[in-house]
Amino acid sequence: MFAFLRLTAKRLVSLPLMLLGVTLLVFVVLQFSPNDPAYNALGDGASPEARAAYRAEHGLDDPLPVRYVRFLGQLVQGDLGYTAPPAAPVIDRVVTAFPLTVQLTALGLVLAVAGALALGVTGALHRDRWPDQVTRVLSIAGVAMPAFWLGILLIQEFALNLELFPTGGYVNPADSPTGWLMSLALPALAIAVPAAASLSRLVRTSMVEELDKDYVRTATGNGLPRGVVVRSALRNALITPLTVLGLRVGYLLSGAVVIETIFDLPGMGKLILEGVTNGDVALVQGAVLTIALAFLVVNLLVDLLYLVVNPRIRVV
């Protein structure tokens, strides 16, 4: 227990340092954007003197370290700045858009994990036989499919040809749970397939290694039901795939940002596209920083979950 608490404390202590690094990277990169905040705020009709006054008033001409410290102070207070006119707090836009991205990522994660378990376990239980070969082909095909390309194919087939799902848009779950599920089904599937295909190979490898261990042979030889043996082996085999689950969640999150644009979902992807199109540095900065911070938090949670399920680490 002491070792578990010590490792957990180390993860928690490292989180602020990683957050600081993320804020620094996002801030510095976007400071080199060719877009002028004074121009975006005042419009192309403003005089050079008015723009210079705006930059002086908002500290845009201060040295980069000074602006970064000011940015950190605002960030601690929950202030991400204001969007280009019509001016609105960036935090309000993020709070509105981020929940949809979380919903899409969570649904994609459920589908990805379910698909990875189905393909990986099937391949391991039928090693080197035709079901294993089929799962390998499906895994390779899934990894080779870009999420945005798969999303377009899903729209073409299931939304336009078969008319089973909407082509885009979002339905609030409070208004219609069924409509919500229908609106997110295709985009969630588009981001889940590549992740499931990649993760399934790791599940299969771990499961094969587990099935070859002595305790599995002993349990089988003692007449334990096949289902009990497989469940026990699967529980141990999932320890290794869990180590990369945090990265897969990050891929799902980044994929969701792209897919939201294709399916016209008002999430973080649409927010970033709007910011890039309008040259709104504050909006892009707030959206990118929110996604990066979410990625770090998810990886921390996965690390803690790994410590819980792996007894070897708990006794170190």
Side-chain angles (χ1 to χ4, degrees):
M1 177 59 71
F2 175 76
F4 171 73
L5 294 176
R6 178 170 54 83
L7 292 173
T8 301
K10 289 176 61 177
R11 299 292 197 278
L12 294 176
V13 169
S14 65
L15 181 61
L17 297 177
M18 291 188 292
L19 293 179
L20 186 63
V22 168
T23 59
L24 178 61
L25 178 62
V26 172
F27 179 81
V28 171
V29 169
L30 290 179
Q31 291 308 304
F32 290 98
S33 169
N35 295 293
D36 184 4
Y39 177 87
N40 293 334
L42 302 178
D44 53 6
S47 65
E49 293 77 11
R51 295 177 189 170
Y54 180 91
R55 294 184 63 86
E57 178 184 355
H58 292 82
L60 299 178
D61 293 326
D62 293 339
L64 188 62
V66 175
R67 283 181 283 153
Y68 176 64
V69 172
R70 185 189 305 124
F71 168 72
L72 285 181
Q74 295 172 342
L75 188 62
V76 171
Q77 299 174 16
D79 182 7
L80 293 175
Y82 288 83
T83 65
V90 172
I91 187 65
D92 292 346
R93 300 291 307 277
V94 169
V95 168
T96 301
F98 188 61
L100 190 150
T101 301
V102 172
Q103 294 170 29
L104 178 57
T105 303
L107 186 57
L109 178 63
V110 171
L111 295 176
V113 171
L117 289 177
L119 291 176
V121 173
T122 300
L125 294 179
H126 302 85
R127 189 186 336 175
D128 298 329
R129 298 197 292 273
W130 71 264
D132 187 21
Q133 302 301 328
V134 171
T135 59
R136 288 183 182 181
V137 172
L138 292 177
S139 298
I140 294 174
V143 171
M145 290 183 185
F148 72 89
W149 179 78
L150 179 58
I152 295 174
L153 290 185
L154 293 175
I155 292 176
Q156 179 67 38
E157 183 62 29
F158 294 100
L160 296 178
N161 293 344
L162 299 179
E163 298 182 352
L164 298 176
F165 297 90
T167 57
Y170 174 71
V171 177
N172 194 301
D175 298 332
S176 173
T178 302
W180 170 81
L181 185 60
M182 295 290 286
S183 66
L184 293 185
L186 293 185
L189 184 61
I191 64 173
V193 167
S198 176
L199 194 58
S200 67
R201 305 314 305 159
L202 188 57
V203 172
R204 179 196 177 277
T205 301
S206 299
M207 190 67 177
V208 166
E209 292 177 355
E210 208 65 32
L211 291 174
D212 285 340
K213 291 184 176 179
D214 292 338
Y215 79 91
V216 173
R217 297 193 184 96
T218 301
T220 303
N222 289 336
L224 284 180
R226 179 66 169 171
V228 174
V229 176
V230 170
R231 283 195 298 270
S232 178
L234 178 61
R235 184 167 56 250
N236 295 328
L238 290 181
I239 293 177
T240 300
L242 189 59
T243 60
V244 299
L245 184 60
L247 295 177
R248 294 294 178 262
V249 173
Y251 295 146
L252 288 171
L253 188 61
S254 60
V257 171
V258 177
I259 289 297
E260 286 170 359
T261 304
I262 297 175
F263 285 88
D264 192 28
L265 298 173
M268 298 297 289
K270 192 172 184 179
L271 208 63
I272 293 175
L273 180 62
E274 176 187 336
V276 171
T277 302
N278 298 332
D280 194 337
V281 175
L283 185 59
V284 175
Q285 181 175 263
V288 172
L289 185 59
T290 301
I291 294 174
L293 296 182
F295 176 71
L296 289 180
V297 171
V298 167
N299 274 273
L300 173 64
L301 295 178
V302 172
D303 285 345
L304 295 180
L305 180 60
Y306 180 68
L307 295 178
V308 171
V309 301
N310 193 345
R312 289 173 295 182
I313 288 184
R314 295 203 301 267
V315 299
V316 172

